[in-house]
Amino acid sequence: MAVIKTNIPELKLLSRGKVRDMYELDEKSLLIVTTDRMSAFDVILEDPIPNKGVILNQLTLFWMKRFENLVPNHIIESDVNNYPAFLQKYKDQLEGRSVIVKKAKPLAIECIVRGYLAGSGYKDYQKTGMVCGYKLPEGLKNSSRIENPIFTPSTKAEVGTHDENISVEQAGKIIGAELCEKVKNLSLSIYSAGRDYAASRGIIIADTKFEFGMVDGVLTLIDEVLTPDSSRFWPADQYEEGKSQASFDKQYLRDWLEAQVWDKTPPAPRLPEEVAKTTADKYQKIADILTK
């Protein structure tokens, strides 16, 4: 059964985001539950994607462990059996889809890395020949490979509003130039490590989004990492420059929504069962390819 909304009255609910419910466990830690809610174009859809939250959570745990030599992460515990006793009765809401984490102060930017030209980056390039302040070579097409991956931050919007692409210089003004340079280099390093691993599994990671926070003065990887909600995953054997790619991510759902008569404000169109199932299958497929 899909988990759309959690309810743990013993804990203070800090936020109910597009996908995650966040509770305060104590002054130093949080309980984060990844639900099956789906958002697209910054709108939360009425229909969930079954088991999506478990897939996102398990993929994030996989990558965080893989990257722990590059960057500290915020995970304290992910096995519900080791959670405080009073949480055991909520096992059906928490199992496989929740983590206890260190409380972090999130940076006020999204850290996006692009290795291929797609989505809003491609639209910007078509208009200006640039993406977030980077001048790219002429003649690039939809899905073209970017020779050296680029760090293209964005603002972090409230639920229901849109993130905006910004330059590295603008990001530096928001979080400080020195910290911005550090997260830029770290984002590129993590992306490169993830890209190389995925390539060994026949997958292209076209782009992705990371989030960082400060924990006791230490820059820490938080939120989700290289999931089909935050990344574009393309099967390498079907890649063809100049067109939209087959993918194991949210793009299928976005494409379906783009074909509907909808102005991208709530409420979103209802999802046919077949669209929800196909999306769930794509998410499960990429998790299997990358982690098994």
Side-chain angles (χ1 to χ4, degrees):
M1 193 178 76
V3 173
I4 300 171
K5 187 168 149 183
T6 60
N7 182 29
I8 303 173
E10 292 94 330
L11 296 178
K12 179 184 177 184
L13 178 69
L14 295 180
S15 71
R16 212 183 284 285
K18 293 171 194 167
V19 177
R20 288 165 185 79
D21 290 351
M22 191 178 299
Y23 296 89
E24 185 171 63
L25 201 54
D26 56 43
E27 61 181 22
K28 291 226 160 182
S29 61
L30 308 172
L31 173 70
I32 298 177
V33 191
T34 307
T35 72
D36 297 328
R37 293 194 295 270
M38 176 57 95
S39 77
F41 306 110
D42 297 307
V43 175
I44 299 171
L45 309 187
E46 197 171 328
D47 303 286
I49 303 299
N51 207 45
K52 174 198 149 178
V54 173
I55 295 166
L56 298 191
N57 194 52
Q58 295 305 316
L59 258 177
T60 293
L61 290 168
F62 168 81
W63 287 117
M64 281 188 167
K65 177 130 190 76
R66 191 164 186 90
F67 298 145
E68 60 190 2
N69 62 324
L70 292 173
V71 59
N73 64 64
H74 66 163
I75 303 295
I76 296 172
E77 184 57 72
S78 59
D79 184 345
V80 178
N81 295 311
N82 298 330
Y83 287 7
F86 75 90
L87 288 175
Q88 299 303 319
K89 63 185 171 200
Y90 301 111
K91 208 167 183 179
D92 59 333
Q93 296 181 53
L94 301 176
E95 188 132 52
R97 63 173 69 247
S98 65
V99 282
I100 292 174
V101 301
K102 298 169 192 167
K103 203 179 273 189
K105 184 180 180 187
L107 301 189
I109 60 166
E110 308 271 15
C111 298
I112 297 162
V113 179
R114 301 176 193 271
Y116 288 75
L117 203 51
S120 65
Y122 178 55
K123 286 175 184 168
D124 289 349
Y125 173 79
Q126 284 181 300
K127 289 178 196 161
T128 64
M130 301 176 76
V131 179
C132 295
Y134 294 90
K135 178 77 175 144
L136 296 181
E138 290 181 13
L140 297 183
K141 304 172 185 172
N142 187 5
S143 306
S144 285
R145 188 172 188 270
I146 299 169
E147 198 55 43
N148 296 304
I150 56 176
F151 175 70
T152 61
S154 77
T155 59
K156 193 178 285 188
E158 296 297 316
V159 173
T161 57
H162 298 286
D163 298 339
E164 286 185 23
N165 292 340
I166 55 176
S167 67
V168 175
E169 291 70 28
Q170 287 170 299
K173 285 175 184 166
I174 295 170
I175 65 168
E178 189 179 337
L179 183 56
C180 184
E181 185 67 16
K182 195 170 180 182
V183 296
K184 170 188 167 184
N185 293 334
L186 198 47
S187 297
L188 290 167
S189 295
I190 300 169
Y191 170 77
S192 295
R195 177 195 60 190
D196 293 349
Y197 171 78
S200 75
R201 298 295 181 102
I203 294 295
I204 292 168
I205 302 178
D207 55 30
T208 194
K209 177 193 76 171
F210 301 117
E211 289 210 40
F212 297 95
M214 303 303 292
V215 178
D216 297 329
V218 177
L219 187 62
T220 302
L221 185 61
I222 64 172
D223 199 53
E224 64 183 314
V225 181
L226 292 171
T227 75
D229 260 18
S230 66
S231 317
R232 284 185 174 85
F233 295 113
W234 299 340
D237 60 358
Q238 295 178 50
Y239 171 70
E240 192 180 329
E241 188 182 31
K243 65 183 186 85
S244 296
Q245 306 300 310
S247 67
F248 299 115
D249 52 54
K250 202 193 278 191
Q251 196 57 46
Y252 162 79
L253 182 66
R254 288 194 200 101
D255 289 346
W256 183 84
L257 287 166
E258 289 267 31
Q260 311 309 304
V261 179
W262 179 43
D263 63 0
K264 296 178 184 168
T265 61
R270 296 298 303 268
L271 296 184
E273 194 175 325
E274 181 191 345
V275 172
K277 183 181 183 306
T278 300
T279 303
D281 289 348
K282 285 177 176 288
Y283 276 43
Q284 188 61 61
K285 178 77 171 169
I286 192 62
D288 292 345
I289 290 170
L290 292 172
T291 65
K292 291 188 176 174

